[in-house]
Amino acid sequence: MASKSCPPFKKFKFLLGLFLLLVIKLGSAQLSSTFYATTCPQALSTIKSAVDSAVSNEARMGASLLRLHFHDCFVNGCDGSVLLDDTANTKGEKTAVPNNSSLRGFEVIDTIKSQIESLCPGVVSCADIVAVAARDSVVALGGPSWTVLLGRRDSTSASLSAANSNIPAPTLNLSGLISAFSNKGFTAKEMVALSGSHTIGQARCTTFQTRIYNETNIDSSFAASLRGKCPSTGGDNNLSPLDTTSPTSFDNAYFKNLQSQKGLLHSDQQLFSGGSTDAQVNAYSSNLRSFTTDFANAMVKMGNLSPLTGTSGQIRTNCRKTN
């Protein structure tokens, strides 16, 4: 019996499928956990030592370095653009509303970059340093680890307007939070997991002033204690911990606080306010392992947002300016 030949359309679909699979594989292969294994084998240990030292000196720095990575990735991808200083001709992202007077950790990144440049000049990008420093910060404060994929290159420009529009504001309602993260490819569940980064770090009075004076879905004694540090006018830069229970431990206390109406920011309490994410907050509150696993996976996904690879961008010598 003669063998049946594959119809042309089926053959085309098969070849198209193979092509798409190859494209996906090539795309995912652009970043690699072993990217510096031969070109700068001491890179990861150098970053870890510097982060451990910085967090040991000031626990808050761990949260600051994690936030730096988030604010980098949400603005045109994880490309180190957030590190660029303003120049005579261009405005960087440091003076954007979400960053101005609050984004920190630049000096730690400078120190790491200087150390790595002396070991292997022109090899390790600032964007990769920020990504690894975020992971090492979480670990230093007792949180989960994850494999950071490497090979990002640094942007040659920054965008003040994108920083102002893409970074979720602390005033957002639940629908706005879901949209802001959905715009970057995250599910509502991943948004809740990433919000759990507020288990560490501090916020300025200006970001929660309205909540503690005007909102009703807040524990009254919690609000009263905050008013002592945050007057109704002024005191913009006075700090309070995002997690009132264990502000320097990466745990699931943040979610337990939300259940008690002790979310510091309006956007925090929105995750547990009778809406679609209440169940996820309950789940993470009762299961630390579930939270840390989902958080780590979401961080890997965030680190993969629109990286510059291959010959795009550059490897900056100084993270604050283009070469």
Side-chain angles (χ1 to χ4, degrees):
M1 185 186 292
S3 62
K4 292 181 180 177
S5 62
C6 184
F9 180 66
K10 280 193 174 179
K11 195 171 185 180
F12 171 75
K13 280 180 74 177
F14 173 73
L15 290 172
L16 180 63
L18 275 181
F19 173 73
L20 290 173
L21 188 65
L22 183 64
V23 168
I24 291 167
K25 279 187 173 290
L26 284 172
S28 62
Q30 288 177 329
L31 297 184
S32 159
S33 61
T34 57
F35 193 82
Y36 299 116
T38 55
T39 54
C40 193
Q42 305 115 301
L44 294 182
S45 59
T46 301
I47 297 170
K48 179 171 170 47
S49 295
V51 169
D52 285 349
S53 174
V55 174
S56 175
N57 289 337
E58 183 202 17
R60 183 188 174 207
M61 186 53 71
S64 298
L65 291 170
L66 175 58
R67 185 171 184 249
L68 196 59
H69 182 42
F70 171 49
H71 283 217
D72 184 27
C73 293
F74 260 55
V75 182
N76 298 327
C78 312
D79 60 3
S81 60
V82 73
L83 305 173
L84 290 171
D85 286 337
D86 290 354
T87 68
N89 302 318
T90 59
K91 270 283 196 189
E93 296 165 17
K94 291 181 179 179
T95 55
V97 172
N99 298 338
N100 198 24
S101 302
S102 71
L103 210 57
R104 314 169 69 242
F106 299 110
E107 294 79 10
V108 176
I109 301 300
D110 289 340
T111 298
I112 295 170
K113 181 61 172 172
S114 175
Q115 291 173 352
I116 289 182
E117 281 299 303
S118 67
L119 292 169
C120 17
V123 173
V124 181
S125 69
C126 301
D128 274 348
I129 291 172
V130 171
V132 175
R135 187 269 313 273
D136 292 346
S137 292
V138 170
V139 172
L141 294 173
S145 186
W146 59 90
T147 301
V148 179
L149 299 178
L150 303 164
R152 299 168 192 78
R153 288 168 65 84
D154 298 322
S155 69
T156 55
S157 63
S159 176
L160 180 70
S161 60
N164 277 323
S165 60
N166 291 1
I167 298 169
T171 52
L172 287 180
N173 291 330
L174 180 59
S175 59
L177 288 167
I178 291 172
S179 294
F181 280 80
S182 175
N183 288 340
K184 299 297 177 184
F186 293 102
T187 64
K189 182 179 180 180
E190 289 169 330
M191 180 272 288
V192 175
L194 288 171
S195 297
S197 61
H198 286 180
T199 182
I200 53 174
Q202 304 195 47
R204 297 184 304 146
C205 166
T206 186
T207 62
F208 57 85
Q209 209 165 36
T210 301
R211 171 158 165 74
I212 63 174
Y213 287 97
N214 299 335
E215 296 186 8
T216 54
N217 62 341
I218 185 168
D219 178 85
S220 56
S221 59
F222 177 58
S225 70
L226 290 166
R227 289 183 199 124
K229 307 177 203 171
C230 181
S232 55
T233 55
D236 284 3
N237 292 322
N238 296 354
L239 299 171
S240 284
L242 286 154
D243 169 0
T244 185
T245 310
S246 50
T248 59
S249 295
F250 197 98
D251 53 26
N252 61 344
Y254 167 80
F255 297 106
K256 296 176 182 179
N257 294 336
L258 296 185
Q259 291 174 315
S260 305
Q261 295 197 316
K262 292 180 181 177
L264 183 65
L265 306 178
H266 173 82
S267 56
D268 288 328
Q269 197 58 55
Q270 281 292 295
L271 302 183
F272 192 83
S273 204
S276 60
T277 52
D278 281 17
Q280 196 56 54
V281 170
N282 287 333
Y284 288 154
S285 174
S286 62
N287 191 330
L288 173 62
R289 176 67 63 87
S290 172
F291 162 54
T292 55
T293 299
D294 288 353
F295 178 82
N297 289 333
M299 286 300 296
V300 172
K301 184 171 175 177
M302 188 175 79
N304 291 342
L305 286 175
S306 308
L308 297 171
T309 57
T311 56
S312 300
Q314 60 183 212
I315 304 296
R316 286 185 219 138
T317 303
N318 177 341
C319 291
R320 292 174 180 265
K321 60 183 185 180
T322 57
N323 295 343

